[in-house]
Amino acid sequence: MTALAIVLIVIGLFFLVVGSIGMLRLPDVFSRAHALSLTDALGALFVLGGLAVYEGFSTNLLKILVVLGLIYLLNPVFTHAAIRAAYRAGLRPGERSDDK
């Protein structure tokens, strides 16, 4: 079980690192938010899944599942709110924040 947990956590960390690189490399806030929200959710799924496998059946498993459920409920809401705020602030897709 420990080997499976390590594999899941490493896969999750890979997605989180790719999302972080996308955050640094993509040109505008809309592209960054799109890439980061997708990889963040997938990375969290694998990392928390690995932790759940490592913990086995315990109260910590319930806590991990609650956190995972909250991430899947709140991540799209926060991303949408950030993108809407950027759009209302005058940023448009394809426009860099440092172009003004």
Side-chain angles (χ1 to χ4, degrees):
M1 286 303 224
T2 303
L4 177 63
I6 290 172
V7 168
L8 288 173
I9 291 172
V10 167
I11 291 171
L13 291 176
F14 169 76
F15 282 110
L16 292 175
V17 168
V18 168
S20 299
I21 292 171
M23 181 78 175
L24 296 174
R25 301 274 310 179
L26 291 174
D28 62 355
V29 67
F30 301 99
S31 302
R32 291 175 183 167
H34 176 72
L36 192 60
S37 66
L38 293 175
T39 56
D40 189 29
L42 195 57
L45 172 70
F46 279 109
V47 169
L48 292 175
L51 289 176
V53 167
Y54 183 75
E55 283 294 323
F57 290 105
S58 66
T59 56
N60 288 336
L61 175 65
L62 181 63
K63 294 174 186 175
I64 290 169
L65 293 178
V66 167
V67 169
L68 188 61
L70 288 175
I71 286 174
Y72 273 90
L73 286 175
L74 298 177
N75 191 15
V77 174
F78 289 148
T79 302
H80 180 77
I83 293 301
R84 187 178 174 107
Y87 190 79
R88 285 188 171 188
L91 292 176
R92 297 294 178 253
E95 179 181 280
R96 297 178 66 107
S97 61
D98 56 353
D99 285 347
K100 291 185 175 181

